[in-house]
Amino acid sequence: MSCYEKAREKYKSYGVDTEKAIAVLKTVPISLHCWQGDDVVGFDGAGSLSGGIQTTGNYPGRARTPEELMSDIDKAISLCPGTYKLNLHACYAILNGEQVDRDAYSPRHFAPWVAFAKERNMGIDFNPTFFSHEMVKDNLTLSSPDEEVRRFWIEHGKRCIEISQYFAEETGMPCVMNIWIPDGYKDMPADRLGPRLRFKEALDEILSIPYDKTKVFVCLESKVFGIGMESYTVGSGEFCMNYVAQNGITPLMDNGHYHPTEVVSDKVSAMLAFHKNLALHVTRGVRWDSDHVVLFDDETKEIAKEIVRASALDRVFIATDYFDASINRISAWITGLRSVQKALLYALLEPYEKMQKLQNENRMTELMVMQEELKTAPFGDVWAEYLAREQVPEDYIKEILEYEEKVLVKRI
Ligand code: RNT
Ligand code: ZN
């Protein structure tokens, strides 16, 4: 018997079908964030990153052009099992020297990305970029008291909905469009309500343009604080949760955006009780919203379990969101994407109905014992089988280091 066959028997003894788990896993799309490849810089001349987020490190090989980024994404997905969507930010527009600003971007500025995605049978998700731009005034965009600033960003939001619909129509797959604004104050504001009311009105205006709600899922991402905006964040948890509920759009939770003892895994079911869809940014905050590479750690596993236990794999839009410039960027992608997949597989290998029954019969002793036993079940053998069937190597570091030597180090 092979290791996998033994593992299959072991899981069968728990009442779990490993074949079914593998079959489900490979169809779950994970939205791959393009911005890990170039430290969230983009191609529209933004220059340096603003918005209270930060990439640290200067490992060689940052992608400097669309071609480099595309080639790096290809390398990453060639070493990842499963299904992917491409997650773009508006600042990745390919302008070819055209003098056009973000309030006037149009589908043509993203045509090469559509061609890239179509060739790989990937859907595209999208994000307006409300940072790294001179129209961010005093750390404010959609909530700015300056009418001109607000107008610029409202137009940007509208253009992004149009572009999202173009992505959905071209790829034949829905586009998840996420709005996140960095707006906030470093120190105590006097008026906390004003900026929130302006943000609310601006969102209403953006969403007032007609779009096909079966093709474009507009999300709103909340945040607790940003660097340089420690005292007040306009798009706080409560603001965003209320806005999405009242306006029928999709909440987006980034697990780096909460107080350190709060966990998104516990929030998933609470949100699913009220929303048809939920979008996630899977990241790893170390001490703050540091956007470290996602690992196969406890919280990632718990998030995956909550999605699977709720039978919500088709309701939850899973995206990665982190940026580490201190290690090989392609390896950072692969480790994170594989970690999300591992967590989902781990979750799919739970005898959930049995566990739910134990809970409902208040057999908590047995439930604890079962949960502990599962931790040492032969998960690794099922993972290895999945990789083999998807024809990707278990150990990818050799290929990464080769690519680093042949391609990345030459970019200096
Ligand atoms: C910032 C948010 C946001 C960004 C990306 C680049 O804290 O997490 O999602 O990381 O849009
Ligand atoms: Zn995020």
Side-chain angles (χ1 to χ4, degrees):
M1 246 206 250
S2 70
C3 290
Y4 172 65
E5 281 162 353
K6 277 192 204 147
R8 195 175 61 194
E9 290 311 305
K10 181 77 186 170
Y11 278 104
K12 204 169 157 193
S13 75
Y14 299 133
V16 173
D17 180 354
T18 56
E19 288 296 321
K20 196 174 146 205
I22 290 175
V24 171
L25 179 61
K26 65 181 195 192
T27 65
V28 179
I30 314 279
S31 192
L32 174 154
H33 63 307
C34 76
W35 50 93
Q36 163 58 49
D38 77 328
D39 308 344
V40 210
V41 176
F43 305 122
D44 70 350
S48 67
L49 181 60
S50 79
I53 50 179
Q54 215 162 71
T55 321
T56 53
N58 56 357
Y59 202 83
R62 187 184 84 76
R64 298 156 305 177
T65 62
E67 295 69 34
E68 288 181 354
L69 188 59
M70 287 175 189
S71 134
D72 292 356
I73 291 171
D74 267 338
K75 189 76 210 174
I77 51 181
S78 76
L79 293 166
C80 287
T83 306
Y84 294 93
K85 287 178 92 181
L86 176 64
N87 202 359
L88 293 175
H89 242 284
C91 62
Y92 290 82
I94 300 173
L95 304 175
N96 291 319
E98 200 184 318
Q99 289 301 313
V100 53
D101 213 338
R102 288 187 193 164
D103 58 342
Y105 283 179
S106 81
R108 73 173 180 282
H109 302 117
F110 295 88
W113 286 115
V114 167
F116 176 86
K118 274 177 154 175
E119 274 166 31
R120 287 150 189 82
N121 202 20
M122 292 166 99
I124 306 180
D125 292 331
F126 199 45
N127 306 260
T129 311
F130 295 100
F131 52 84
S132 306
H133 191 279
E134 57 191 12
M135 283 303 274
V136 180
K137 191 176 166 197
D138 306 325
N139 290 331
L140 303 172
T141 63
L142 290 176
S143 74
S144 171
D146 182 330
E147 168 76 22
E148 198 193 326
V149 168
R150 240 170 32 247
R151 281 254 59 87
F152 176 86
W153 292 111
I154 288 168
E155 290 310 310
H156 177 56
K158 290 182 176 174
R159 295 299 83 73
C160 286
I161 292 185
E162 291 157 6
I163 293 162
S164 296
Q165 182 148 333
Y166 155 73
F167 287 152
E169 278 159 5
E170 287 289 324
T171 63
M173 290 175 236
C175 174
V176 175
M177 191 198 95
N178 177 46
I179 297 176
W180 170 72
I181 61 162
D183 299 31
Y185 284 100
K186 179 184 175 76
D187 228 317
M188 300 300 225
D191 177 12
R192 289 172 185 265
L193 181 59
R196 287 185 172 136
L197 292 178
R198 288 192 291 269
F199 183 28
K200 181 170 177 248
E201 227 181 83
L203 286 170
D204 289 347
E205 239 194 277
I206 292 173
L207 294 172
S208 73
I209 66 159
Y211 67 96
D212 185 338
K213 298 188 174 66
T214 66
K215 290 182 179 154
V216 178
F217 291 83
V218 177
C219 306
L220 186 62
E221 176 180 16
S222 67
K223 189 160 179 174
V224 64
F225 81 94
I227 301 180
M229 282 160 267
E230 291 85 359
S231 302
Y232 169 75
T233 302
V234 181
S236 61
E238 294 73 17
F239 177 93
C240 291
M241 219 192 292
N242 281 301
Y243 190 89
V244 297
Q246 201 170 67
N247 294 278
I249 60 168
T250 301
L252 188 144
M253 298 190 141
D254 177 314
N255 59 300
H257 291 191
Y258 297 87
H259 291 285
T261 56
E262 278 185 88
V263 281
V264 163
S265 53
D266 180 58
K267 300 177 192 296
V268 169
S269 53
M271 299 309 280
L272 288 176
F274 294 92
H275 291 271
K276 180 164 176 287
N277 296 105
L278 169 67
L280 297 178
H281 272 182
V282 185
T283 187
R284 178 167 54 105
V286 177
R287 304 198 180 276
W288 61 287
D289 181 34
S290 58
D291 287 293
H292 279 62
V293 175
V294 173
L295 301 178
F296 183 50
D297 59 13
D298 284 348
E299 177 56 4
T300 310
K301 283 182 214 167
E302 291 308 312
I303 290 172
K305 285 184 200 169
E306 286 304 313
I307 301 170
V308 171
R309 290 167 173 179
S311 304
L313 282 168
D314 56 346
R315 293 169 62 197
V316 179
F317 306 128
I318 306 170
T320 44
D321 178 19
Y322 53 82
F323 19 98
D324 191 338
S326 74
I327 56 173
N328 181 299
R329 292 174 184 78
I330 297 162
S331 183
W333 257 321
I334 300 168
T335 301
L337 295 170
R338 285 187 177 213
S339 297
V340 174
Q341 295 248 335
K342 276 185 193 162
L344 287 169
L345 180 61
Y346 193 79
L348 287 161
L349 292 173
E350 270 192 341
Y352 174 57
E353 275 158 33
K354 224 188 231 175
M355 292 161 70
Q356 188 185 38
K357 189 162 180 276
L358 291 177
Q359 175 180 325
N360 290 339
E361 292 170 3
N362 200 31
R363 291 154 65 186
M364 302 309 273
T365 311
E366 287 157 84
L367 180 57
M368 181 191 279
V369 171
M370 166 148 250
Q371 287 188 313
E372 285 306 291
E373 193 178 330
L374 281 168
K375 289 182 184 170
T376 50
F379 166 77
D381 295 327
V382 184
W383 173 251
E385 178 70 13
Y386 173 57
L387 291 178
R389 291 188 194 178
E390 290 282 289
Q391 294 175 320
V392 294
E394 228 177 312
D395 181 2
Y396 54 87
I397 197 68
K398 193 171 147 272
E399 273 207 47
I400 287 300
L401 295 179
E402 262 171 38
Y403 187 80
E404 180 172 313
E405 201 183 296
K406 276 199 207 120
V407 181
L408 300 181
V409 294
K410 305 213 168 111
R411 288 183 188 165
I412 302 161

